Amino acid sequence: MAQEQLIRTVGGVRAAEIDQGLRAHMNKVYGTMSVGMLITALAAWAISGLATTTDPAMATAQLANGQLLTGLGSAIYGSPLRWVIMLAPLAFVFGLSAMINRMSAATAQLVFYAFAAVMGISLSSIFLVYTGFSIMQIFLITAIAFASLSFWGYTTKKDISAWGSFLIMGVVGLIVAMIVNIFLQSPAIMFAISAIGVLIFAGLTAYDTQKIKNEYIEHAAHGDQEWLGKAAIMGALALYLDFINMFIFMLQLFGNRE
């Protein structure tokens, strides 16, 4: 926030240029994120449809809830391939973060969209576990909460940069707890993980939004346009991950199962 005040002391014209550029930058961040979300939703819906069937003659497996899986469904959800699908989004995130400086902004955007498609395949199993109405309901609730939190992070005059280390530690703690609960299979621990996860990613939504805004102001003062193009992609990735994780944890808390 101090950087923003420093720029505004230069004069009204410079401040107006920064404000106009910031709005365009944030529009690109949210636009890229929205396209990624649409790709994820379409991929998840399409794969879940191809993975299930109502024709017993085409089924190769049956789930506990009675749904019939096709050969594709058995491969994705019942073979070692499922581990590849589960871990592939994580590999994309680390790869994009590590190689962003060697990519053009256009290439980084394509990689982000490919990541969104892979994430959709990974998330397609939610259609086998939760009702379609429940998924839509929780998605809309998450969208409203996300928009409110991101708006607050963008407009607040409070410096929330100190939240970063605390929230990242919380994410690490969540991952450890989830790994432990794979062996314990405790519903109480899973409930606590989901509740805390919603709070952590709600905080990260506001934190990441303010961080994206402040980074733009800092680099715009130096006219670093190439960096800003890539920063918009990384900002979209950060907010995308905040939304997806908040949605998943809310679905685990409030979703109606098949």
Side-chain angles (χ1 to χ4, degrees), residues 137-185:
Q137 186 179 48
I138 299 301
F139 182 87
L140 290 175
I141 293 172
T142 304
I144 293 170
F146 175 88
S148 301
L149 290 161
S150 189
F151 179 77
W152 181 83
Y154 182 82
T155 58
T156 184
K157 300 300 181 182
K158 181 180 180 180
D159 183 3
I160 59 175
S161 58
W163 291 13
S165 57
F166 174 77
L167 291 169
I168 294 303
M169 289 175 59
V171 172
V172 173
L174 276 180
I175 294 172
V176 172
M178 291 170 69
I179 293 173
V180 170
N181 203 44
I182 291 176
F183 303 99
L184 298 180
Q185 292 294 308

Coordinates of all heavy atoms in Angstrom, one line a residue, residues 137-185:
Q137 N -25.4 -25.8 -6.6 CA -25.7 -24.9 -5.5 C -24.5 -24.5 -4.7 O -24.3 -23.3 -4.4 CB -26.7 -25.7 -4.5 CG -27.2 -24.9 -3.4 CD -28.1 -25.7 -2.5 OE1 -27.8 -26.8 -2.1 NE2 -29.3 -25.2 -2.2
I138 N -23.6 -25.4 -4.5 CA -22.3 -25.1 -3.7 C -21.4 -24.2 -4.6 O -20.8 -23.3 -4.1 CB -21.6 -26.4 -3.3 CG1 -22.5 -27.2 -2.4 CG2 -20.3 -26.0 -2.7 CD1 -22.9 -26.5 -1.1
F139 N -21.5 -24.5 -5.9 CA -20.7 -23.6 -6.8 C -21.1 -22.2 -6.8 O -20.3 -21.3 -6.7 CB -20.8 -24.1 -8.3 CG -19.9 -23.4 -9.3 CD1 -18.6 -23.7 -9.5 CD2 -20.5 -22.3 -9.9 CE1 -17.8 -23.0 -10.4 CE2 -19.7 -21.6 -10.8 CZ -18.4 -21.9 -11.1
L140 N -22.4 -21.9 -6.8 CA -22.9 -20.6 -6.8 C -22.6 -19.9 -5.4 O -22.3 -18.7 -5.4 CB -24.5 -20.6 -7.0 CG -24.9 -20.9 -8.4 CD1 -26.4 -21.0 -8.5 CD2 -24.4 -19.9 -9.4
I141 N -22.8 -20.7 -4.3 CA -22.4 -20.1 -3.0 C -20.9 -19.7 -2.9 O -20.6 -18.7 -2.4 CB -22.8 -21.1 -1.9 CG1 -24.3 -21.3 -1.8 CG2 -22.2 -20.7 -0.6 CD1 -24.7 -22.5 -0.9
T142 N -20.1 -20.6 -3.5 CA -18.7 -20.4 -3.5 C -18.4 -19.1 -4.4 O -17.5 -18.3 -4.0 CB -17.9 -21.6 -4.1 OG1 -18.2 -22.7 -3.3 CG2 -16.4 -21.3 -4.0
A143 N -19.0 -19.0 -5.5 CA -18.8 -17.9 -6.4 C -19.2 -16.6 -5.7 O -18.4 -15.6 -5.8 CB -19.6 -18.0 -7.7
I144 N -20.3 -16.5 -5.0 CA -20.7 -15.3 -4.2 C -19.7 -15.0 -3.1 O -19.2 -13.8 -3.0 CB -22.1 -15.5 -3.7 CG1 -23.1 -15.6 -4.8 CG2 -22.4 -14.3 -2.7 CD1 -24.5 -16.0 -4.3
A145 N -19.3 -16.0 -2.4 CA -18.3 -15.8 -1.3 C -16.9 -15.3 -1.9 O -16.3 -14.4 -1.4 CB -18.1 -17.1 -0.5
F146 N -16.5 -16.0 -3.0 CA -15.2 -15.6 -3.6 C -15.3 -14.2 -4.1 O -14.3 -13.4 -3.9 CB -15.0 -16.5 -4.8 CG -13.7 -16.2 -5.6 CD1 -12.5 -16.7 -5.2 CD2 -13.8 -15.3 -6.7 CE1 -11.3 -16.3 -5.9 CE2 -12.7 -15.0 -7.4 CZ -11.4 -15.5 -7.0
A147 N -16.3 -13.8 -4.8 CA -16.4 -12.4 -5.3 C -16.4 -11.4 -4.2 O -15.7 -10.4 -4.3 CB -17.7 -12.3 -6.1
S148 N -17.1 -11.7 -3.1 CA -17.1 -10.8 -1.9 C -15.7 -10.6 -1.3 O -15.3 -9.5 -1.0 CB -18.1 -11.2 -0.9 OG -19.4 -11.3 -1.5
L149 N -15.1 -11.7 -1.1 CA -13.7 -11.7 -0.5 C -12.7 -11.1 -1.4 O -11.9 -10.3 -0.9 CB -13.3 -13.2 -0.2 CG -14.1 -13.9 1.0 CD1 -13.9 -15.4 0.9 CD2 -13.7 -13.3 2.3
S150 N -12.8 -11.3 -2.7 CA -11.8 -10.7 -3.6 C -12.1 -9.2 -3.7 O -11.1 -8.4 -3.7 CB -12.0 -11.4 -5.0 OG -10.9 -10.9 -5.8
F151 N -13.3 -8.8 -3.7 CA -13.6 -7.4 -3.7 C -13.1 -6.7 -2.4 O -12.5 -5.6 -2.5 CB -15.1 -7.2 -3.8 CG -15.6 -5.7 -3.8 CD1 -15.4 -5.0 -5.0 CD2 -16.1 -5.1 -2.7 CE1 -15.8 -3.6 -5.0 CE2 -16.5 -3.8 -2.7 CZ -16.4 -3.1 -3.8
W152 N -13.3 -7.3 -1.3 CA -12.7 -6.7 -0.1 C -11.2 -6.6 -0.1 O -10.6 -5.6 0.3 CB -13.2 -7.6 1.1 CG -12.7 -7.0 2.4 CD1 -13.3 -6.0 3.2 CD2 -11.5 -7.4 3.2 NE1 -12.5 -5.7 4.3 CE2 -11.4 -6.6 4.3 CE3 -10.5 -8.3 2.9 CZ2 -10.4 -6.7 5.2 CZ3 -9.5 -8.5 3.9 CH2 -9.4 -7.6 5.0
G153 N -10.6 -7.7 -0.6 CA -9.1 -7.7 -0.7 C -8.6 -6.6 -1.6 O -7.6 -6.0 -1.4
Y154 N -9.4 -6.3 -2.7 CA -9.0 -5.3 -3.6 C -9.2 -3.8 -3.1 O -8.4 -2.9 -3.4 CB -9.8 -5.4 -4.9 CG -9.5 -4.5 -6.0 CD1 -8.4 -4.7 -6.8 CD2 -10.2 -3.3 -6.2 CE1 -8.0 -3.8 -7.8 CE2 -9.9 -2.4 -7.2 CZ -8.8 -2.6 -8.0 OH -8.5 -1.8 -9.0
T155 N -10.3 -3.6 -2.3 CA -10.7 -2.3 -1.9 C -10.2 -1.9 -0.5 O -10.1 -0.7 -0.2 CB -12.2 -2.1 -1.9 OG1 -12.8 -3.1 -1.1 CG2 -12.7 -2.3 -3.3
T156 N -9.9 -2.9 0.3 CA -9.5 -2.5 1.7 C -8.2 -1.7 1.8 O -7.3 -1.9 1.0 CB -9.3 -3.8 2.6 OG1 -9.0 -3.4 3.9 CG2 -8.2 -4.7 2.0
K157 N -8.1 -0.8 2.7 CA -6.9 0.0 2.9 C -6.0 -0.7 3.9 O -4.9 -0.2 4.1 CB -7.3 1.4 3.5 CG -8.2 2.2 2.5 CD -7.5 2.4 1.2 CE -8.4 3.3 0.2 NZ -7.8 3.5 -1.1
K158 N -6.5 -1.7 4.5 CA -5.7 -2.5 5.5 C -4.6 -3.3 4.8 O -4.9 -4.0 3.8 CB -6.6 -3.4 6.3 CG -5.9 -4.2 7.4 CD -6.8 -5.0 8.2 CE -6.1 -5.8 9.3 NZ -7.0 -6.7 10.0
D159 N -3.4 -3.3 5.3 CA -2.3 -4.1 4.7 C -2.5 -5.5 5.3 O -2.2 -5.7 6.5 CB -1.0 -3.5 5.0 CG 0.2 -4.3 4.4 OD1 -0.1 -5.3 3.7 OD2 1.3 -3.9 4.7
I160 N -2.8 -6.5 4.4 CA -3.0 -7.9 4.9 C -1.9 -8.8 4.4 O -2.0 -10.0 4.4 CB -4.4 -8.5 4.5 CG1 -4.5 -8.5 3.0 CG2 -5.5 -7.7 5.2 CD1 -5.8 -9.1 2.5
S161 N -0.7 -8.2 4.0 CA 0.4 -9.0 3.5 C 0.9 -9.9 4.6 O 1.5 -11.0 4.3 CB 1.5 -8.1 3.0 OG 1.9 -7.2 4.1
A162 N 0.7 -9.6 5.9 CA 1.2 -10.4 7.0 C 0.5 -11.7 7.1 O 0.9 -12.7 7.7 CB 1.2 -9.7 8.3
W163 N -0.7 -11.8 6.4 CA -1.5 -13.0 6.5 C -0.8 -14.1 5.7 O -1.1 -15.3 6.0 CB -2.9 -12.8 5.8 CG -3.8 -11.9 6.6 CD1 -3.5 -11.1 7.6 CD2 -5.2 -11.8 6.3 NE1 -4.6 -10.4 8.0 CE2 -5.7 -10.8 7.2 CE3 -6.1 -12.3 5.4 CZ2 -7.0 -10.4 7.3 CZ3 -7.4 -11.9 5.4 CH2 -7.9 -11.0 6.3
G164 N 0.1 -13.8 4.7 CA 0.6 -14.8 3.8 C 1.3 -16.0 4.5 O 0.9 -17.1 4.2
S165 N 2.3 -15.7 5.3 CA 3.0 -16.8 6.0 C 2.1 -17.7 6.8 O 2.2 -18.9 6.8 CB 4.2 -16.2 6.8 OG 3.7 -15.3 7.8
F166 N 1.1 -17.0 7.5 CA 0.2 -17.8 8.4 C -0.7 -18.7 7.5 O -0.9 -19.9 7.9 CB -0.6 -16.8 9.2 CG -1.7 -17.5 10.0 CD1 -1.4 -18.1 11.2 CD2 -3.0 -17.4 9.6 CE1 -2.4 -18.7 11.9 CE2 -4.1 -18.0 10.3 CZ -3.7 -18.7 11.5
L167 N -1.2 -18.2 6.4 CA -2.1 -19.0 5.6 C -1.3 -20.1 4.9 O -1.9 -21.2 4.8 CB -2.8 -18.0 4.6 CG -3.8 -17.0 5.1 CD1 -4.2 -16.0 4.1 CD2 -5.0 -17.7 5.7
I168 N -0.1 -19.8 4.4 CA 0.7 -20.9 3.8 C 1.0 -22.0 4.8 O 0.9 -23.2 4.5 CB 2.0 -20.3 3.2 CG1 1.7 -19.4 2.1 CG2 2.9 -21.5 2.7 CD1 0.9 -20.0 0.9
M169 N 1.3 -21.6 6.0 CA 1.5 -22.7 7.1 C 0.2 -23.5 7.3 O 0.2 -24.7 7.5 CB 1.9 -22.0 8.4 CG 3.3 -21.4 8.4 SD 3.7 -20.5 9.9 CE 3.5 -21.8 11.1
G170 N -0.9 -22.8 7.2 CA -2.2 -23.5 7.3 C -2.4 -24.5 6.2 O -3.0 -25.6 6.5
V171 N -2.1 -24.1 5.0 CA -2.2 -25.0 3.8 C -1.3 -26.3 4.1 O -1.8 -27.4 3.8 CB -1.8 -24.3 2.5 CG1 -1.8 -25.3 1.4 CG2 -2.8 -23.2 2.2
V172 N -0.1 -26.0 4.5 CA 0.8 -27.2 4.8 C 0.2 -28.1 5.8 O 0.2 -29.3 5.7 CB 2.2 -26.7 5.2 CG1 3.1 -27.8 5.7 CG2 2.9 -25.9 4.1
G173 N -0.3 -27.5 6.9 CA -1.0 -28.3 8.0 C -2.2 -29.1 7.4 O -2.4 -30.2 7.8
L174 N -2.9 -28.5 6.5 CA -4.1 -29.2 5.9 C -3.6 -30.4 5.1 O -4.2 -31.5 5.2 CB -4.8 -28.2 5.0 CG -5.9 -27.3 5.6 CD1 -6.5 -26.5 4.4 CD2 -7.0 -28.1 6.3
I175 N -2.5 -30.2 4.4 CA -2.0 -31.3 3.6 C -1.6 -32.5 4.4 O -1.9 -33.6 4.2 CB -0.9 -30.8 2.7 CG1 -1.4 -29.8 1.6 CG2 -0.2 -32.0 2.0 CD1 -0.3 -29.2 0.8
V176 N -0.9 -32.1 5.5 CA -0.4 -33.2 6.5 C -1.6 -33.9 7.1 O -1.6 -35.1 7.2 CB 0.5 -32.5 7.5 CG1 0.8 -33.6 8.6 CG2 1.8 -32.0 6.9
A177 N -2.6 -33.1 7.5 CA -3.8 -33.7 8.1 C -4.5 -34.6 7.2 O -5.0 -35.7 7.5 CB -4.7 -32.6 8.7
M178 N -4.6 -34.2 5.9 CA -5.3 -35.0 4.9 C -4.5 -36.3 4.6 O -5.2 -37.4 4.5 CB -5.4 -34.2 3.6 CG -6.4 -33.1 3.7 SD -6.4 -31.9 2.3 CE -7.1 -33.0 1.0
I179 N -3.2 -36.3 4.6 CA -2.4 -37.5 4.4 C -2.6 -38.4 5.6 O -2.8 -39.6 5.4 CB -0.9 -37.1 4.3 CG1 -0.7 -36.4 2.9 CG2 -0.1 -38.4 4.3 CD1 0.7 -35.8 2.7
V180 N -2.6 -37.9 6.8 CA -2.8 -38.7 8.0 C -4.2 -39.4 8.0 O -4.3 -40.5 8.3 CB -2.6 -37.9 9.3 CG1 -3.0 -38.6 10.5 CG2 -1.1 -37.4 9.4
N181 N -5.2 -38.6 7.6 CA -6.5 -39.1 7.6 C -6.8 -40.1 6.5 O -7.8 -40.8 6.6 CB -7.5 -37.9 7.5 CG -8.9 -38.3 8.0 OD1 -9.0 -38.9 9.1 ND2 -9.9 -38.0 7.3
I182 N -5.9 -40.2 5.5 CA -6.0 -41.3 4.6 C -6.0 -42.7 5.3 O -6.7 -43.6 4.9 CB -4.9 -41.2 3.5 CG1 -5.1 -40.0 2.6 CG2 -4.9 -42.5 2.7 CD1 -4.0 -39.8 1.6
F183 N -5.1 -42.7 6.3 CA -5.0 -44.0 7.1 C -6.0 -44.1 8.2 O -6.5 -45.2 8.5 CB -3.6 -44.0 7.7 CG -2.5 -44.0 6.6 CD1 -1.8 -42.7 6.4 CD2 -2.1 -45.1 5.9 CE1 -0.8 -42.7 5.4 CE2 -1.2 -45.0 4.9 CZ -0.5 -43.8 4.6
L184 N -6.4 -42.9 8.8 CA -7.3 -43.0 10.0 C -8.8 -43.1 9.5 O -9.6 -43.7 10.2 CB -7.1 -41.7 10.8 CG -5.8 -41.5 11.5 CD1 -5.8 -40.2 12.3 CD2 -5.4 -42.7 12.4
Q185 N -9.1 -42.4 8.4 CA -10.4 -42.4 7.9 C -11.4 -42.0 8.9 O -12.5 -42.6 9.1 CB -10.8 -43.8 7.4 CG -10.1 -44.3 6.1 CD -10.4 -43.5 4.9 OE1 -11.6 -43.3 4.6 NE2 -9.4 -43.0 4.2

